[in-house]
Amino acid sequence: MKCRSVACIWSSSPPPHKVTATAVLSHPPTLYTGGSNGSIIWWNLPSASSQPNQEVKPIAMLCGHVAPIADLGICFPTAVSGDNSSNVVVSNPNVNSFGSLISACKDGVLCVWSRASGHCRRRRKMPPWVGSPSMVRSLPENRRYVCIACWYDDGVHLSENQSVDAENDGLVDRELHHVKSSKCSVVIVDSYSLTIVQTVFHGNLSIGPLKSMSVILSAGTMENHLVMMVDSFSKVQCLPIIKDSDASGANVTGSSSHLVLKDWLDGSEDVVVLVACASRGRLLVLVYTTHCTFRLVDDGNKIGEIIFLDYQLCLKGQSHVIGSTFIGEDDTGIRQNFGEYEDVNSEELAVWNNRGSAVVYRISYSSSAFNFEPLFAIPAISHPPDMKLSVSFLYVNNYLLRVESVCFNNVEPLLWKPHVTLWSFPKQHDIKEKFSGECKILDEGQYFDDWIPNSTYITEGSINESSFSMIRLEGESKSLHNSVSSSNNLEKFVSSSMVISGNCYFPLALVYGFCDGDIEVVWLDMYFEGLSAYCQNRGYEVTRGSKQYLSGHTGAVLCLAAHQMVSTLKEGNFSHFLMSGSMDCTVRIWDLDSNNPLIVMHQHVAPVRQIILPPAHTECPWSDCFLSVAEDCCVALTSLGTLQVERMFPGHPYYPAKIVWDSARGYLACLCPNHLGKSDTSDVLYIWDVKTGARERVLRGAAAHSMLDHFCTGMKKDSAAVRLMTSNTSASSLVHPMTEDNKYSRSHFKYSAKGVSKSVAFPLSTSTTESSSSQTHATKETVIESIGSLVSSFQSNKPPIEGSCPFPGITTLCFDLKSVMSLCKSHEFSTTGSAGHRRIPSVVIGVDTRKDSPRKNEDNQQKDQEPEIPSSLQVNKESHSDFNGTSADTKIGYDWLASLEGCLLQFSLSLLHLWNVDYELDKLLETEMKLKRPELFNIASGFVGDRGSLTLMFPGSSAALELWKSSSEYCALRSLTMVSLSQHMISLSPSCSGASSALAAFYTRNFAEKIPDIKPPLLQLLVSFWQDEFEHVKMAARSLFHCAASRAIPRPLCCKKSNSQANSLGSSDGKIKLERESPIMHNKINFPNHCQPETRGDSQTEESEILSWLESFDTQDWISCVGGTSQDAMTSHIIVSAALAVWYPSLVKPSLAMLTVQSLMKLVMAMNDKYSSTAAEILAEGMESTWKACIGSEIPRLIADIFFQIECVSGASANAPAQNSALSHKIKETLVGILLPSLAMADIFGFLNVIQSQIWSTASDSPVHVVSLMTLIRVVRGSPRNLAQYLDKVVTFILQTMDTSNSVMRRNCIPSSMAALKELVRVFPMVALNDTSTRLAVGDAIAEIKNASIRVYDMQSMAKIKVLDASGPLGLPTLLGGASETAVTTAISALSFALDGEGLVAFSENGLMIRWWSLGSVWWEKLSRNLTPVQCTKLIFVPPWEGFSPNSTRSSIMASVISNDGLSSSQFLSQDNKKTSSESDTLKLLIHHLDLSYRLEWVGERKVKLLQHGRELGIFQL
């Protein structure tokens, strides 16, 4: 599982956002606006029940696209399909009913954004044959599925569809061209998986550019749908969605046999064009610039028309209508207006123009009548005449939203900003008036006014409730249109940005390129002072300021890249180069170490758009080169060593937008998309030979895309190479190949160091001082090689902190918890074990050092081939001189790694911590843990979604808390990261244990106390980390689970009676309160009836809810947050329900345990590497209190199944890979060490029967026998009293494993058998072994009075040789008051062989008797085959001792005689417990009161001492 946390650093200027698509969600009220750069802004809207201070405000930017957003839609991915008669969309306001946003961009990438969790749950790219998405509509019958229309249009059509602009220039002229056939595809996509489930159409259509699309139910049937598409020329194309068609769409071709083409162009519409289209049920409205017409979809008849000239919507030369939408919920049917005419329908329609003015009409219509009236209006926007503006309206919860986009810089047309206003409808209007008034503006929001240029933090005090609103700058709350004219800050808008990461993958600096040509470099040295100090102490100098400013470009900086080159390995000189491309057509190279420009290159004659670095493991000299790509369609290869252009790759017909550099094969693939006539057959791929500069091949169409995919597939095999090629550049992180980031290829371990210097990995820009001593020079070289060796191994894994820039001015730092802990674990391993060999640093540092690590096994395999170098402790002084510096250099490497580890933890906690919520904690972190507030940056939190997508919160305290208040997934991941890192800080630096503990307590309990409305962590997500390989992560996940359990119990599992109790329990000590307040409830779970729902009154509906929740694996968002699967979701549900049933039975429904136990057992037997161990632990922990009553009769079968799994795992692990073998060993340890003993103690008799049967049913060398013996030892230690009545069966089994006739079993089991036998002798005083270990005596601990005996075994033949009669003496039942001869009681309490081995003494607490058998060796041999019970030689009655109570459960003859009240032994027992009326109850009490503390010790040849709990009770002469 992946646990990633994101810190977002925003630049001083907000990113531009030109709205191209909008969507609104009614519950909770949310607005989404898609931009031309691919960004999506998430806006929170006030609801009807919201607080007065709630406002329209931008919350986050959704980053999943790099192309213009084509359309946005609302879908329900978690809706479960039912029959056609029922609506699949649930209206209840729970988490699963939240709608989701589906977004489509022009390059075919689809994303589904969950409103409940706030992240991207699915990101996929559509196949190339589909085309470019144009419009997205959800199916009215099942909104889990969406219909997407994709188009192959020319550039004019694309520009129209990607924006809602409405400029006057050429509005009519550009639509009067000849209509030609267009190629398109209409597909149905499942929004849960984003897979195409049906192809409605693929081919050429006879309509022009698409203007509108609607999915409606076809006439005459409620099963099939129609896709109605309208072009700009009023042509309507209807495509049927046939449910019984092939899902793959193979039977749907470009034929028009199923198509319906309607031409609704009137003669009066020749001079105007269609600008918008809206539909509602059977009504279609076609909106033109001056009027709109209404038609019925069934027959296309025109039923009415509205002229806009009368309502100031259309003024010649000033304004014209650009859009319309229906008011109200988007139902599939038309609402009835039961007025004068029964067949008259009523709708409300909003129409707006390009100035933002809107009018709302009420329309009444039927098949033969049409009427309309204006209701109210919204005034136009006041803006300068030359300002570019786009407007759209949306309806949500009885409000109208006006979404505006304003271009505030004519020089840079890409700089747009959004502005949102919320309008309320006026009260009841007079029907006699044309207008009842203007709408009232309720609120407005734009994220420019709330931007914080320097810091998001308050210097003093903690955040209180009133300070959660957006922090505004003094004097900046101006109106939108007054502030846009300010030109002072326009030049400082960021046009490109990047993160400079060292080769050991932690961020070194942030670089910003501005529109005016300046470059700013912000170094992060203040967070890595420990490394800087370390380097200075070793003779290195670090001279760098916090910021650098580079000037020289005369146009906007469009691309950036940084490279670190080693000029001379022996001297250790490092050089940081910065390359920048600009609108001024130049490429500039800068020396970051000296802040000086190196060269200005003019190899291009058009703006430079891309700079590409070589992939990882590129050989010299190509490793120090870079590619520059410009709009002149040329690609240039430049060397940093020579500062010259080494290769030019010209002749591309179009701009090469996608370039893949395959350094392993020496090829360069450049894909040139044809934007002039977009078609998959016109794209061109050029393949170049990098070494010769020759053009190898030219491919077109589908072959071009296939070959590019082939190149990308080769790069995907080495994920580190893909990261390195896109890191340290300004290329968006969203352009990475969308592959599953589950595993990182280890193939690059086999790369040799040829052409790649180890010291390239040195993290900081340093320059070595000149040294006159060659020895000092050699030492520094060794230090560099040692550090490089350490870091090069660390590079093999995923970087702990990965920097990227999804959009210019937005920097994200993704902290991977597993990678951070891997570095820490590697350091712990290296410092504890083993600096005995020089090759250890390059092996264990930064890679997985688990026992099951494949890398470790590879190293073990190479151990015999590589000569081992002994440590300094293993050689003498002479040999130590040969290895001068070895131990010191290794220590230097370890010290550097320890310093790196501490800096990484401090840096991570500084940027991820939520400052200013707890001022006392913040002060403690700064003073004790030395954390630094990120006061120089605009820091915000973020959320990682599927395949590299990001949800980035805007700076400001209100937005920072939004994810905490809305997403349980985010709360779980961020809390888990913070608690794990803080706990590791305790082990790393004990001096800051107080601050670390306080930080962990803050994220587990205190945060929820200070901000009560935050979401509790998601329990399902936390349990997925219960078996994490790192102990700190595992313990943090379990701690968070227990702290949040009382607040986070899933609703289907929560007991109704305890809802109020669970809500009243605080998050700080919820578990403690449970244990204190409900001890009776915890005890009730022991009764068998708790598992019967009918006795608890649980209804069948509640059981159905629980079962539905357990099986709802496909409706969870959290699995995409951690990179999980549906199997993870289902197993996590089982673990959560089982854990709650065991630990919090009073808060969950009583039937939960019974409904969960079968799934829990199946999960245990599934041998799942993530969850089987956890399931086994929960099953073992709750066996006595919860599960035994549910599965009592199935315990023997479960034990037998576990034995079978153990045998299978042991047999498979011998031939399995090392990693799988270690995994099997881990699961086996859990089954053997935890679950099997608990099952055996729950049903000892059944366990003994199973292991007895295993003797004959499994092979003699099976590990099952050893496991049985080890489990017996645990049962002896854990539940000796319950085992006492089966001592004979236990001894028989142990002796069978030692049988001399089965040499194989004896050889395998003899150590475990002897250990089990000795453990029996130690624990049970009624089992004795003579001093020579030749004879074993076993007495009945509990038996009938007349049948008690002692059995003697020969340890040589493992056979029974004697049976000694230990029944009560004659007259004993009479003395005990007439007890039945079959009464069960304690028989033998202690045994001991004589010192010479010729006799046996036994003590019985029942009757207080000592028996003595004096038997010579000859007599033993004579009767060796005679099993007739032998009577004792002597019988001694023991007087009661002080403290012995005759009224206790232990009765004696003297107690019976003295009392003389005629009470029997069973009556004595009934005085202690009135409920023991049956033999089984009596047996339970006997077992419960069985005393195993008696001992017999010999003090002479014929004297024996009786002891109890080590206290002497008397010495008796035999």
Side-chain angles (χ1 to χ4, degrees), residues 9 497-503 505-512 519-528 544-548 560-562 576-578 592-593 727-729 763-765 801-805 811-813 907 937:
I9 302 177
S497 60
M498 61 167 289
V499 182
I500 298 180
S501 299
N503 288 339
Y505 298 111
F506 61 86
L508 298 179
L510 310 178
V511 184
Y512 298 102
I519 299 175
E520 179 185 21
V521 183
V522 182
W523 294 98
L524 303 177
D525 289 350
M526 73 288 291
Y527 294 102
F528 298 95
R544 177 185 292 142
S546 60
K547 290 186 179 182
Q548 290 177 266
L560 295 164
H576 270 107
F577 291 101
L578 177 68
L592 292 180
D593 296 329
S727 63
N728 290 325
T729 68
L764 295 177
S765 176
I801 305 175
E802 190 170 6
S804 61
C805 291
T811 303
T812 60
L813 299 178
F907 178 70
F937 309 104

Side-chain angles (χ1 to χ4, degrees), residues 392-408:
S392 63
F393 281 80
L394 296 98
Y395 171 83
V396 56
N397 295 346
N398 296 322
Y399 299 112
L400 271 180
L401 283 172
R402 183 169 66 189
V403 182
E404 311 161 19
S405 287
V406 182
C407 181
F408 52 88

Side-chain angles (χ1 to χ4, degrees), residues 302-424:
K302 180 178 177 181
I303 61 174
E305 182 180 26
I306 298 178
I307 306 298
F308 301 136
L309 297 177
D310 298 336
Y311 304 101
Q312 298 183 353
L313 286 176
C314 182
L315 299 178
K316 187 174 182 180
Q318 297 182 12
S319 63
H320 56 270
V321 174
I322 61 172
S324 67
T325 183
F326 282 100
I327 303 298
E329 298 298 331
D330 189 11
D331 300 326
T332 56
I334 301 177
R335 296 171 297 172
Q336 296 289 336
N337 181 19
F338 296 98
E340 183 179 356
Y341 302 98
E342 294 183 358
D343 58 345
V344 174
N345 301 308
S346 177
E347 297 288 353
E348 294 178 358
L349 178 71
V351 182
W352 63 89
N353 62 12
N354 60 328
R355 294 181 56 190
S357 176
V359 177
V360 177
Y361 298 91
R362 173 173 294 163
I363 301 163
S364 301
Y365 69 95
S366 65
S367 59
S368 59
F370 177 81
N371 189 22
F372 71 93
E373 58 177 343
L375 296 181
F376 32 80
I378 295 177
I381 304 171
S382 176
H383 66 279
D386 58 344
M387 178 180 295
K388 295 182 180 180
L389 176 70
S390 67
V391 183
S392 63
F393 281 80
L394 296 98
Y395 171 83
V396 56
N397 295 346
N398 296 322
Y399 299 112
L400 271 180
L401 283 172
R402 183 169 66 189
V403 182
E404 311 161 19
S405 287
V406 182
C407 181
F408 52 88
N409 191 350
N410 294 328
V411 179
E412 292 291 338
L414 297 180
L415 300 182
W416 291 69
K417 69 174 182 178
H419 184 250
V420 178
T421 54
L422 184 67
W423 301 82
S424 65

Side-chain angles (χ1 to χ4, degrees), residues 163-396:
S163 174
V164 291
D165 295 349
E167 295 86 353
N168 295 331
D169 301 337
L171 180 64
V172 178
D173 295 339
R174 68 169 181 241
E175 300 289 350
L176 296 180
H177 62 283
H178 180 68
V179 181
K180 61 181 180 180
S181 177
S182 301
K183 185 177 180 181
C184 79
S185 299
V186 179
V187 295
I188 305 298
V189 174
D190 183 0
S191 61
Y192 174 76
S193 60
L194 288 185
T195 56
I196 299 176
V197 297
Q198 183 178 350
T199 301
V200 179
F201 181 82
H202 179 63
N204 294 323
L205 289 178
S206 301
I207 60 175
L210 191 62
K211 207 65 182 182
S212 175
M213 183 180 74
S214 301
V215 180
I216 59 176
L217 293 176
S218 59
T221 178
M222 298 297 293
E223 296 182 356
N224 295 333
H225 296 78
L226 282 177
V227 180
M228 184 177 63
M229 298 181 293
V230 185
D231 66 359
S232 299
F233 308 97
S234 302
K235 288 184 177 293
V236 178
Q237 190 88 57
C238 295
L239 304 175
I241 302 178
I242 305 174
K243 286 192 173 183
D244 56 355
S245 63
D246 187 6
S248 63
N251 62 336
V252 181
T253 63
S255 173
S256 60
S257 58
H258 296 288
L259 307 183
V260 180
L261 178 62
K262 302 178 182 179
D263 189 354
W264 289 342
L265 185 63
D266 296 336
S268 60
E269 298 161 357
D270 292 337
V271 294
V272 293
V273 294
L274 184 72
V275 295
C277 178
S279 63
R280 173 63 59 86
R282 318 307 302 171
L283 180 65
L284 176 68
V285 54
L286 303 176
V287 182
Y288 302 89
T289 56
T290 59
H291 67 283
C292 67
T293 60
F294 296 85
R295 296 178 182 271
L296 294 178
V297 176
D298 299 335
D299 52 12
N301 292 332
K302 180 178 177 181
I303 61 174
E305 182 180 26
I306 298 178
I307 306 298
F308 301 136
L309 297 177
D310 298 336
Y311 304 101
Q312 298 183 353
L313 286 176
C314 182
L315 299 178
K316 187 174 182 180
Q318 297 182 12
S319 63
H320 56 270
V321 174
I322 61 172
S324 67
T325 183
F326 282 100
I327 303 298
E329 298 298 331
D330 189 11
D331 300 326
T332 56
I334 301 177
R335 296 171 297 172
Q336 296 289 336
N337 181 19
F338 296 98
E340 183 179 356
Y341 302 98
E342 294 183 358
D343 58 345
V344 174
N345 301 308
S346 177
E347 297 288 353
E348 294 178 358
L349 178 71
V351 182
W352 63 89
N353 62 12
N354 60 328
R355 294 181 56 190
S357 176
V359 177
V360 177
Y361 298 91
R362 173 173 294 163
I363 301 163
S364 301
Y365 69 95
S366 65
S367 59
S368 59
F370 177 81
N371 189 22
F372 71 93
E373 58 177 343
L375 296 181
F376 32 80
I378 295 177
I381 304 171
S382 176
H383 66 279
D386 58 344
M387 178 180 295
K388 295 182 180 180
L389 176 70
S390 67
V391 183
S392 63
F393 281 80
L394 296 98
Y395 171 83
V396 56

Side-chain angles (χ1 to χ4, degrees), residues 46 457 501 518 526 1162:
Y457 299 104
S501 299
D518 291 342
M526 73 288 291
K1162 291 179 181 179

Side-chain angles (χ1 to χ4, degrees), residues 590-607:
W590 315 79
D591 184 3
L592 292 180
D593 296 329
S594 61
N595 297 347
N596 295 324
L598 295 180
I599 192 174
V600 180
M601 311 191 75
H602 300 272
Q603 63 264 37
H604 297 287
V605 295

Side-chain angles (χ1 to χ4, degrees), residues 691-707:
K691 296 182 179 180
T692 62
R695 186 176 64 189
E696 294 291 334
R697 296 186 65 182
V698 178
L699 302 175
R700 300 179 183 275
H705 289 275
S706 298
M707 182 59 70

